[in-house]
Amino acid sequence: EAGVAQSPRYKIIEKRQSVAFWCNPISGHATLYWYQQILGQGPKLLIQFQNNGVVDDSQLPKDRFSAERLKGVDSTLKIQPAKLEDSAVYLCASSLEREITEQYFGPGTRLTVT
Amino acid sequence: GNSVTQMEGPVTLSEEAFLTINCTYTATGYPSLFWYVQYPGEGLQLLLKATKADDKGSNKGFEATYRKETTSFHLEKGSVQVSDSAVYFCALSGNYGQNFVFGPGTRLSVLP
């Protein structure tokens, strides 16, 4: 079975520019997560989708970050405009059910903001 | 809110040594507890989990017991191998799989 796909794998942008990340979850996984992992820290949940609805976006900086999951499959995470402190690895994960289950993580996108 | 604290690393052990990585949590309700592992150059993957008090999760020789009275979920392995070198993350989720929170991670290096 194919894993969680993410692209691009690396991205370098200047501050105040915009950037978008794409995630394709494992087929049939209803729940999709976006995490931000700053170097040396654990992943921080940004947003959780159940199908195409948002379950939790309490830690998403909504003034600059946005995410969507059209048709309950693929998802995009956008940052506009980027700040230096947004430099991190952005991880996408998916799971079969919303309730207490194993998350499968993608390889992540490493973002560097200069 | 929910939070996870785990011992700071890095932890360096010799092969076949006993491993303990401490993890304590703060949460309301009845969280589920997890250990995730990130091997060099690879993505995060679930190592083991426990969904209620006194449950023991185990996998690949690793074990952790959900202790509600001490709010802990310490990771143990009786004899580590070089291939266990990785970063280990303790994590929890809320009652309905929401509010996932990860600890800061503990880097383990096992020397031959």
Side-chain angles (χ1 to χ4, degrees), chain B residues 64-82:
Chain B
T65 301
Y66 187 164
R67 302 286 189 199
K68 193 168 178 63
E69 64 275 14
T70 55
T71 61
S72 65
F73 193 56
H74 304 322
L75 182 69
E76 296 182 337
K77 187 175 185 182
S79 176
V80 293
Q81 305 300 312
V82 173

Side-chain angles (χ1 to χ4, degrees), chain A residues 33 35 37 40-43 45 48 55-56 91 98-103 105-106, chain B residues 32 34 36 38 44 46 49 51 89 93-100 102-104:
Chain A
Y33 312 78
Y35 290 87
Q37 186 175 18
Q41 299 181 19
L45 180 65
Q48 178 181 346
V55 172
D56 180 6
L91 298 167
R98 174 179 165 182
E99 298 219 15
I100 305 171
T101 186
E102 178 174 352
Q103 295 185 47
F105 282 82
Chain B
S32 291
F34 308 84
Y36 278 79
Q38 188 167 31
L44 273 165
L46 180 67
K49 67 179 181 182
T51 58
F89 295 90
S93 71
N95 290 4
Y96 302 104
Q98 294 177 297
N99 302 320
F100 260 90
F102 281 79

Side-chain angles (χ1 to χ4, degrees), chain A residues 27-98:
Chain A
S27 178
H29 281 198
T31 309
L32 185 146
Y33 312 78
W34 281 103
Y35 290 87
Q36 179 192 59
Q37 186 175 18
I38 293 173
L39 186 65
Q41 299 181 19
K44 182 181 85 171
L45 180 65
L46 294 176
I47 189 166
Q48 178 181 346
F49 291 95
Q50 175 75 5
N51 294 308
N52 60 351
V54 176
V55 172
D56 180 6
D57 64 355
S58 57
Q59 298 196 89
L60 186 73
K62 298 180 184 65
D63 58 334
R64 297 184 301 106
F65 286 64
S66 64
E68 61 181 8
R69 190 182 184 196
L70 300 177
K71 301 180 182 178
V73 182
D74 292 8
S75 178
T76 56
L77 176 70
K78 297 179 181 177
I79 308 175
Q80 180 180 5
K83 294 184 175 182
L84 295 176
E85 59 261 36
D86 299 331
S87 294
V89 176
Y90 290 84
L91 298 167
C92 180
S94 69
S95 63
L96 269 173
E97 304 170 7
R98 174 179 165 182

Side-chain angles (χ1 to χ4, degrees), chain B residues 34-48:
Chain B
F34 308 84
W35 277 100
Y36 278 79
V37 59
Q38 188 167 31
Y39 297 104
E42 299 184 17
L44 273 165
Q45 55 187 277
L46 180 67
L47 180 60
L48 53 83

